[in-house]
Structures are given as C-alpha cells and as structure tokens.
Amino acid sequence: MNKNIKDGLNLLSKVTPKRALNAIQILGSYFYSKATRRPVHWGMPIAISFEPTTSCNLRCPECPSGLRSFTRPTGMMEEGLYKRTIDELADRLLYLIFYFQGEPYLHPKFFDLVSYAHKKGIYTATSTNGHYLTDEKAKRTVESGLDRMIISIDGTTQDVYEQYRVGGSLEKVLEGTRNIVKWKKELKSSTPHVIFQFLVVKPNEHQIAEVQALAKEMGVDEVGLKTAQIYDYEEGSDLIPTIDKYSRYKKQESGRYSIKNKFVDHCWKMWHSCVITWDGAVVPCCFDKDAEYKLGDMKQQTFKELWRGKKYSDFRASLIKSRSEIEMCKNCTEGTAVWA
C-alpha cells in the first residue's frame, strides 16, 4: 500500500463520532461566519500545536528561536499543564503537533507527552531538526506511538545545508533518520510516517532532485518542499529562490517584492486550530511567533472559556472585518508545501 495512503488511513482511524460531529460543527460555524460576517463558533479545535520548548541548538537565520530574538521568555512546558489541557480536549481533538518554536527533543519528557496523547487516540506529529535522534531516542520515538515525524533537511551536502541550518550537522540528521527507519523495521511499526522537509531557498534550490533521491534511498516516506517565510522581503533577500513556484514573493517592476497570495478577510485556522506556548499562552496560529496576540492563558482559565471568550471572538471579528490591519497576517501564506 502507498505510504501516504497508509498515513491517511491512520489519521482517519482516529476519527470518532464525537470528533466527526465536532468537525461538522466547526465547518458549519466557519462558513456561517464567512457568509454573515459575524464570528460564531460551535465546536472545539480539530488541531492544536503545543510548544514543548523554545530552546534550540541551531541558529537558523529566519527563525526567532535560532536568532535568540524572542521578547517572550524561554522555557519548557510543564507536564501538568499539558495533561490538564489534553484531558479537557481529548474527546474532540484529532490532531496534535509538538512544535511551534524550538527543538522538541530538548524537552526532558518529550516521549511521555507523546505517549499521553497517543493513549487517548489522538494523531500525534512533531517537527525536528534531527540532531537528537540517537539509537535509544529513535527506539523510544517509535515506541511512544508518534504518528508523524517531520525532519528538516535543507541541503544534501554539508556546505549547502549549513547555509540555512547554521550550526547544524547534516551527517547527524542522516544518522538520526537511519535510526528511526531502522527501529520502525525492528519493531514492525508503520509509524511514525517520516517526512524530509526541504525548505527551498536560493542556496539549495539546485538540490531538490537530490533530496528526493536521498529520501527514497534511505526509506523516508515522503518529501515536503516548503516555501520559506522571509521577514524583511520587500527589498529582496539572498534566500528568495529563483524558481518561482517555490517562492512566496514576486518581484515588482519597481524592484521591490510583494507576497503572491491574494489577501482575503477570513482565516480557516482561527476556527479549527490554535497554538499553545510552553508557558500556557494561547495564540491564534504559528505566525504569531512572539505571542503578541495572546488570546488566553491555560494557567488561569479552561480552554473552553478562552476559546468561546470575548477576546477570541473579537479577534475572529477583526479578521472578518479587515485582516490586512493585523500585523501578524501581513506575511501569511496558505499552502506552503509541495509534497513529493
């Protein structure tokens, strides 16, 4: 069976009647809100991103964690806070990703966090730079029940890889990948579904075919060719690729750059998902990297209280009214990967 189909069936196997009904409620409220331009919400999130930590071992140039440029504090998510949130949401939550900023494998109880959600029948995923996938941790990853693992690999040679993954070792990433593939075979497990994520930038765009061949050779299940978010893109950047389909930006006659995507006054993410930072802040989505649009605090209220609360409702209303006035949304693009 095709590996992507198998992964899709695995996700579908997590759908319960209550989760299916919740998805219908969210879809209905989203389209009703678009039509009436009034924010209503009848369900709970389908998907949530948890941030295990803001700590990272690398210094990637377009990442606040790598640049050490956060204004918010850094730290590790408390296990108690995480479990309380999961307990409240588990019966309707379908998809959980352990990633926002930072390297998830630096959390000392990462495997416990994954196992807790896995035992509640939630589809679990993470995104890692692949530097901590030792033989022991690769085995524990497979045993934890993790369903999907995205491994960032932005070059097929060290000299190209390190131009974006500053401070990283390509050989460590490849060794870690081999460990995961090995333990999947040893333990006769179809999970995690392993994805090589290749962030296409100008320095590595000539290696797209090579990373696809490398993935096939190593037994990786999928390749994701992701477009890069550039913070200061207007005057151009050495990272903007020359291959147009992999660039989020287009060059104007003036020589300045603009975002390709048409700007619309609605956002599906605001109805079906959110991000919870390591210290319990709830923010709208993954574009709010510095938690400037904090909509609630899991240390002070239940998730249902904040999800249905005035602050969240007012934010959804501002999106419907004029999304272009929200700073976070100005560099937003939907559909940022080409799966291969």
Side-chain angles (χ1 to χ4, degrees):
M1 183 186 294
N2 180 284
K3 292 177 180 179
N4 293 342
I5 294 175
K6 188 179 289 187
D7 179 52
L9 291 174
N10 179 34
L11 177 61
L12 284 174
S13 74
K14 313 288 186 183
V15 178
T16 63
K18 188 170 281 190
R19 287 172 182 164
L21 176 61
N22 181 60
I24 292 169
Q25 290 175 317
I26 289 176
L27 279 166
S29 59
Y30 172 65
F31 287 114
Y32 180 84
S33 298
K34 278 183 68 177
T36 63
R37 300 185 69 78
R38 289 194 306 111
V40 297
H41 207 296
W42 301 321
M44 297 293 279
I46 297 173
I48 280 184
S49 293
F50 273 95
E51 179 181 64
T53 180
T54 43
S55 300
C56 190
N57 54 308
L58 301 185
R59 290 185 173 271
C60 305
E62 292 293 323
C63 174
S65 183
L67 294 171
R68 314 303 195 257
S69 63
F70 286 122
T71 59
R72 62 187 175 101
T74 59
M76 302 279 178
M77 176 167 278
E78 295 176 7
E79 190 175 14
L81 172 68
Y82 166 78
K83 286 184 175 180
R84 286 197 306 275
T85 308
I86 291 296
D87 289 345
E88 183 182 354
L89 299 175
D91 60 343
R92 298 187 188 184
L93 187 65
L94 175 64
Y95 192 108
L96 193 161
I97 183 164
F98 295 94
Y99 178 72
F100 179 30
Q101 298 297 295
E103 169 51 49
Y105 275 81
L106 289 174
H107 194 289
K109 293 194 173 182
F110 176 70
F111 302 110
D112 295 334
L113 303 183
V114 175
S115 294
Y116 194 77
H118 172 70
K119 288 172 184 176
K120 291 182 180 291
I122 300 168
Y123 185 96
T124 55
T126 195
S127 181
T128 175
N129 62 43
H131 282 67
Y132 297 95
L133 300 176
T134 61
D135 193 62
E136 178 199 355
K137 289 185 177 179
K139 182 183 180 185
R140 291 186 67 189
T141 296
V142 178
E143 290 174 336
S144 73
L146 184 73
D147 292 292
R148 172 176 288 221
M149 168 176 277
I150 298 169
I151 301 175
S152 296
I153 177 169
D154 303 327
T156 59
T157 55
Q158 178 62 28
D159 62 320
V160 171
Y161 172 81
E162 66 187 4
Q163 288 185 57
Y164 188 82
R165 297 286 162 182
V166 178
S169 165
L170 177 62
E171 185 48 46
K172 273 192 176 182
V173 178
L174 298 180
E175 180 185 351
T177 303
R178 293 187 195 101
N179 288 337
I180 290 289
V181 172
K182 181 190 85 170
W183 279 110
K184 282 177 65 177
K185 291 177 181 176
E186 291 276 340
L187 298 172
K188 295 179 172 58
S189 175
S190 62
T191 58
H193 182 77
V194 181
I195 298 170
F196 266 172
Q197 182 170 275
F198 194 81
L199 190 68
V200 182
V201 288
K202 189 175 180 181
N204 70 12
E205 61 185 3
H206 63 288
Q207 293 187 337
I208 290 173
E210 292 175 24
V211 77
Q212 292 170 334
L214 180 63
K216 186 175 181 179
E217 174 193 326
M218 296 185 71
V220 169
D221 299 313
E222 195 174 346
V223 175
L225 304 176
K226 187 177 181 182
T227 62
Q229 178 188 4
I230 311 296
Y231 284 99
D232 298 316
Y233 61 84
E234 290 92 346
E235 301 299 328
S237 166
D238 291 338
L239 293 174
I240 296 177
T242 62
I243 305 173
D244 185 64
K245 70 180 288 190
Y246 299 119
S247 176
R248 299 187 187 188
Y249 313 96
K250 59 182 177 182
K251 195 172 185 179
Q252 306 295 315
E253 289 183 7
S254 64
R256 292 171 62 86
Y257 284 78
S258 64
I259 294 176
K260 287 179 182 177
N261 281 22
K262 182 181 178 183
F263 216 79
V264 292
D265 287 330
H266 60 79
C267 180
W268 166 235
K269 285 185 178 182
M270 293 307 101
W271 269 256
H272 89 280
S273 66
C274 70
V275 174
I276 301 178
T277 66
W278 71 269
D279 55 353
V282 176
V283 299
C285 77
C286 59
F287 276 82
D288 190 9
K289 294 178 172 59
D290 222 5
E292 294 177 25
Y293 297 87
K294 184 177 173 181
L295 300 175
D297 187 343
M298 289 303 301
K299 288 182 177 178
Q300 298 178 7
Q301 57 197 138
T302 66
F303 189 89
K304 187 174 182 179
E305 287 172 345
L306 67 89
W307 185 247
R308 300 283 178 81
K310 185 177 186 303
K311 204 166 185 179
Y312 231 122
S313 181
D314 288 347
F315 189 80
R316 292 188 183 108
S318 67
L319 284 166
I320 294 171
K321 181 182 177 182
S322 183
R323 185 164 161 250
S324 61
E325 294 180 8
I326 301 173
E327 190 64 33
M328 173 187 72
C329 299
K330 290 180 180 178
N331 197 4
C332 173
T333 54
E334 294 293 335
T336 57
V338 181
W339 303 104

